[in-house]
Amino acid sequence: MTPLINDITSALDTATSSLSSISTSSKVKRQSDDDIADLVAGIITDLTNALDGLLGEASSIPDLGSLLAGVDTSLNQVLVGLETLLAGVLNLVANL
């Protein structure tokens, strides 16, 4: 389970890095903010569904709390990067 969670964290960190390399002035608007919000909401839903089963197994998985804290931190960084690029996208995601 640890390798999977580490892969998720790494993918989120890569997404954050990619988002930070995009400047707001060079952004090409290819999708509406609603489309991006839908995509992000789908990704968050998929992550939640994938990790949801772990809650019942939490007591049998050493260091699960710290692994999930890493996922939480990395996901937060992705959302902050999106918010920087697309003002208001987090409000759209929250409404989905």
Side-chain angles (χ1 to χ4, degrees):
M1 189 55 59
T2 299
L4 173 63
I5 294 175
N6 287 337
D7 286 348
I8 290 169
T9 303
S10 178
L12 291 169
D13 291 342
T14 299
T16 299
S17 177
S18 295
L19 286 170
S20 67
S21 70
I22 301 171
S23 72
T24 55
S25 62
S26 68
K27 181 182 71 164
V28 176
K29 188 152 183 141
R30 294 184 179 158
Q31 294 180 308
S32 74
D33 288 353
D34 287 342
D35 291 338
I36 293 169
D38 287 340
L39 179 64
V40 172
I43 291 168
I44 293 170
T45 299
D46 290 345
L47 279 172
T48 302
N49 290 339
L51 298 175
D52 191 40
L54 293 178
L55 296 179
E57 304 295 323
S59 62
S60 65
I61 301 173
D63 301 321
L64 180 62
S66 62
L67 290 170
L68 293 179
V71 171
D72 182 56
T73 299
S74 295
L75 180 57
N76 184 59
Q77 292 299 321
V78 169
L79 295 175
V80 167
L82 281 172
E83 183 66 15
T84 300
L85 287 175
L86 307 166
V89 76
L90 293 183
N91 290 332
L92 292 171
V93 171
N95 290 326
L96 298 173

